[in-house]
Amino acid sequence: FAIHGFGEAAQAYFGKDVRDLSLGEAAFLAGIIRAPNRYSSADRKPERVAEPRNRVLAQMVENKSISPEAQQAAIKAPLHLVSGALESSAAPYFVDMVKDQLLDHFSENDLLSNSYRIYTTLDPALQRAAAVAVDIGVKNADTLLAGRYARWKKDALREQKAKGLSAPEPVPQVQVAMVALDPRTGEVKALIGGRNYGQSQLNHALARRQPGSVFKPFVYAAAFDDAVDGNGPIVTTTTTVVDEPTTFEFDGKEYTPNNFGEKFHGPVTLREALIHSLNVATVKVAELVGYGRVVEVARQIGLDPRIQPTPAVALGAYEMTPLDVAAGYTVFANGGVRAEPIFLRSMVSADGNVLEKNQPHTRQALDPRVAYVVTNILEDVVNRGTGAAVRARGFSAPAAGKTGTSRDGWFAGFTSNLLCIVWVGFDDNRDLGLSGTAAAAPIWAEFMKRAITIPAYQDTHGFPPPEGVTTVAIDPETLQLATPLCPVVRQEVFVSGTEPTEYCSRHGGRAAAELAQPAGGVNVVTGIPANPPAAADVNPSGPAKTPGKGTLKTTSPSKATKQTPAATPAPAPEKKKGLLERIFGIFGGGKKSTDKPKPPPG
């Protein structure tokens, strides 16, 4: 990269302001002008440091600019070169992106010789918050990796003595990328492309890597989207899949994914499968709706067209850049509307003519009801799932997000006015060995804690449901509408018309529910009429979508999926008087909604 002037050179080689340079340091900078590339790695080849310095000092003595005594003192003083200290701007990777875009329309000579005024989307306060968060985060990752590599090095040294092996490699340094943008406009507000621009100008925010589980929300969006048009099986937040060791057959090949820690949970709802990022369950969801349908929705949202309809698509096996992921997540943060990332607002000539101007570009890419249902689950991911690490680090504002672990660590999350993607990994694509929860989520939390103290991002609020979304109380065990006798009640969201219609058969059924309300009134537990209509706009037995060429083999005879049963009247309790007494007892003592089981009322 180019170093323009002695000011930047002083920072690049010595980490100092040019006014603070010593005689020897100034002489060194003057001496390397004739061959800067030769001395760009002087910190790794110390023998080269003295050569340009001493040559210039000798010339200065000859020109009587300095005394021989000053020359000798400067020669004796050590030169402390720093590694990668250059930061040519507060956001060098961002500046490179702006320059690359401008070079598509203007020559480099034009950009350097004309007094253009360039206006970008960058928020300096947010960029500073990003830099601090990344610095904290990569040091945390270094510490975690140091312990792992220390154990490895100890074993390697033992083998070295026994077998004469070469010395083990040093602990590698992780790289990092962060993209923060306004999900409503797509304006990039902060961007970090690596841990040190002076050491590497590769912009990792534009580098393609496997996104892992941060792709999973798009799988569930495809599943819920089918409930909107009625063209496939009805899949809701309470649809269950069996999380168990499973081999999938596709295109004549077998695919056997595993869960993190090789732990399986049996029958789980789609909400729990996404909250806890269960791999096998997610592949089953993708197979249920069709791998082709997952790819169709991903492309509809604007993700990479090279994504292919295979079982591995469900687990984020196809590469994307952090900027791609950020653009995709705008549909969840913005009611189904995709906002294209932009970082250059305008370019104005010296005489005031507008030469380049960019406006936010948005489009409806996903049904707002579907976007809300996915976002609602992602809120749970942050509050009690794999993303709860951000709460543990002190971030308490309303937010939604998702962890991701491939060979790298990811975290994608957003508040009502700011979306941020974090990637952590190695340049050589080796396995990071740290989950997204351990490597990326802490950086996201540190950044967002600082971001919400900045006035422009303080006004965070929850995510209100759009029209066409229904929230009802259900029994978490039966996944049916709750009655006053259910010991545990949970609020659940559905695209209207896909909510359950049968009352909890374990706790009094419809009869118990009807006793909790006046005739024709609203149930005090569920908040819906006593006789809810069947979902007329959805065909419960609609045609199942063919999942490509895939077939399913499981290691146990249990079914892969289970739908919430259709509405059927439950038999009235045998002892009506006793039931009333129990209901009145519940109402008298009040009732709390909780996700944790508790003993039934006595």
Side-chain angles (χ1 to χ4, degrees):
F1 60 93
I3 296 176
H4 299 286
F6 280 94
E8 285 191 5
Q11 289 289 342
Y13 286 95
F14 299 108
K16 291 183 178 181
D17 186 280
V18 67
R19 293 168 293 189
D20 298 326
L21 293 177
S22 68
L23 173 60
E25 291 167 344
F28 170 81
L29 293 183
I32 68 173
I33 291 176
R34 64 169 62 177
N37 288 338
R38 170 176 172 78
Y39 303 104
S40 63
S41 59
D43 58 325
R44 293 187 294 275
K45 297 181 180 179
E47 68 276 6
R48 291 185 180 178
V49 175
E51 178 187 324
R53 180 196 62 185
N54 295 348
R55 184 177 68 250
V56 171
L57 290 172
Q59 188 67 48
M60 293 179 74
V61 170
E62 183 178 333
N63 294 342
K64 299 183 179 180
S65 299
I66 62 172
S67 67
E69 292 77 18
Q71 175 194 25
Q72 291 304 313
I75 289 175
K76 292 178 181 179
L79 289 177
H80 298 293
L81 297 176
V82 297
S83 176
L86 177 66
E87 292 292 339
S88 60
S89 71
Y93 297 98
F94 181 89
V95 170
D96 282 353
M97 289 170 60
V98 172
K99 183 180 178 182
D100 288 344
Q101 179 169 328
L102 290 174
L103 285 175
D104 290 339
H105 307 285
F106 305 91
S107 70
E108 187 159 8
N109 184 58
D110 284 341
L111 295 178
L112 293 175
S113 60
N114 292 290
S115 299
Y116 295 138
R117 296 194 300 274
I118 299 169
Y119 299 92
T120 75
T121 62
L122 191 77
D123 184 322
L126 211 58
Q127 181 69 22
R128 287 192 292 270
V132 172
V134 164
D135 184 61
I136 293 171
V138 294
K139 288 177 180 176
N140 172 65
D142 288 343
T143 299
L144 294 174
L145 289 170
R148 192 182 76 171
Y149 275 84
R151 293 189 295 272
W152 176 85
K153 186 175 181 179
K154 183 178 179 181
D155 294 340
L157 286 171
R158 187 182 302 114
E159 291 183 5
Q160 181 184 12
K161 291 181 179 179
K163 302 179 181 179
L165 299 177
S166 59
E169 62 186 281
V171 178
Q173 281 195 327
V174 297
Q175 278 295 345
V176 65
M178 177 192 288
V179 178
L181 54 76
D182 185 332
R184 300 159 296 189
T185 64
E187 291 189 342
V188 177
K189 298 297 185 181
L191 186 140
I192 302 289
R195 68 185 292 161
N196 189 307
Y197 185 80
Q199 291 179 343
S200 171
Q201 295 79 58
L202 172 63
N203 189 347
H204 296 85
L206 303 178
R208 293 171 55 81
R209 303 296 284 257
Q210 290 183 350
S213 294
V214 296
F215 184 83
K216 287 178 181 176
F218 302 111
V219 177
Y220 290 81
F224 300 143
D225 195 58
D226 274 359
V228 173
D229 56 30
N231 290 331
I234 302 175
V235 178
T236 73
T237 51
T238 57
T239 297
T240 61
V241 292
V242 181
D243 182 46
E244 62 185 356
T246 304
T247 295
F248 299 85
E249 288 185 355
F250 182 84
D251 208 15
K253 299 177 181 177
E254 292 188 345
Y255 179 65
T256 308
N258 204 345
N259 284 348
F260 184 78
E262 300 184 3
K263 296 180 180 178
F264 297 90
H265 300 75
V268 293
T269 65
L270 265 60
R271 175 178 289 275
E272 296 301 317
L274 185 52
I275 287 173
H276 300 295
S277 200
L278 304 180
N279 290 340
V280 174
T282 301
V283 178
K284 288 188 177 182
V285 172
E287 186 188 52
L288 175 65
V289 300
Y291 307 129
R293 178 59 177 159
V294 171
V295 172
E296 180 184 339
V297 170
R299 291 176 180 171
Q300 170 186 312
I301 290 172
L303 302 181
D304 198 310
R306 287 170 284 190
I307 295 173
Q308 296 299 311
T310 66
V313 71
L315 305 184
Y318 295 95
E319 294 179 336
M320 301 166 63
T321 71
L323 191 63
D324 291 336
V325 175
Y329 265 71
T330 60
V331 302
F332 303 129
N334 198 27
V337 175
R338 176 186 167 96
E340 297 297 332
I342 59 172
F343 39 86
L344 174 65
R345 282 206 183 108
S346 63
M347 178 175 174
V348 181
S349 66
D351 56 6
N353 291 324
V354 177
L355 305 177
E356 185 95 355
K357 189 174 180 64
N358 287 324
Q359 296 287 352
H361 177 65
T362 61
R363 63 179 176 84
Q364 193 73 43
L366 188 65
D367 188 283
R369 298 168 291 177
V370 174
Y372 173 78
V373 171
V374 175
T375 296
N376 184 264
I377 300 176
L378 296 181
E379 288 183 87
D380 260 359
V381 172
V382 168
N383 291 332
R384 62 184 182 92
T386 57
V390 305
R391 298 298 190 207
R393 296 188 77 91
F395 178 71
S396 58
K402 183 71 187 75
T403 55
T405 306
S406 52
R407 285 184 174 273
D408 314 316
W410 293 76
F411 193 87
F414 51 91
T415 63
S416 56
N417 55 22
L418 189 61
L419 187 155
C420 178
I421 308 298
V422 176
W423 167 88
V424 180
F426 289 118
D427 276 338
D428 60 6
N429 208 31
R430 76 175 71 188
D431 193 344
L432 177 62
L434 298 174
S435 67
T437 299
I443 298 176
W444 189 92
E446 293 296 334
F447 169 69
M448 294 299 286
K449 283 193 298 183
R450 289 162 176 77
I452 61 174
T453 66
I454 300 171
Y457 311 100
Q458 284 178 343
D459 186 22
T460 60
H461 54 75
F463 306 97
E467 185 178 351
V469 171
T470 298
T471 301
V472 299
I474 66 169
D475 183 299
E477 292 185 359
T478 64
L479 305 179
Q480 298 167 325
L481 295 175
T483 75
L485 301 182
C486 293
V488 181
V489 173
R490 189 183 81 211
Q491 298 295 318
E492 189 55 90
V493 298
F494 300 88
V495 173
S496 297
T498 67
E499 66 271 18
T501 55
E502 183 177 84
Y503 285 96
C504 179
S505 57
R506 292 186 186 177
H507 303 102
R510 182 177 294 275
E514 289 176 347
L515 289 171
Q517 62 195 2
V522 175
N523 188 289
V524 297
V525 177
T526 64
I528 60 177
N531 298 294
D537 58 339
V538 179
N539 178 11
S541 58
K545 195 175 292 291
T546 304
K549 303 176 183 179
T551 59
L552 176 67
K553 295 195 305 182
T554 62
T555 57
S556 74
S558 55
K559 294 183 178 180
T561 63
K562 177 180 70 176
Q563 297 292 337
T564 302
T568 55
E574 295 180 4
K575 295 183 180 181
K576 196 166 187 179
K577 181 178 179 180
L579 178 60
L580 280 169
E581 291 173 349
R582 293 176 68 188
I583 292 174
F584 292 150
I586 293 173
F587 290 158
K591 184 174 182 62
K592 294 182 179 179
S593 175
T594 176
D595 283 330
K596 295 182 179 180
K598 59 183 179 182

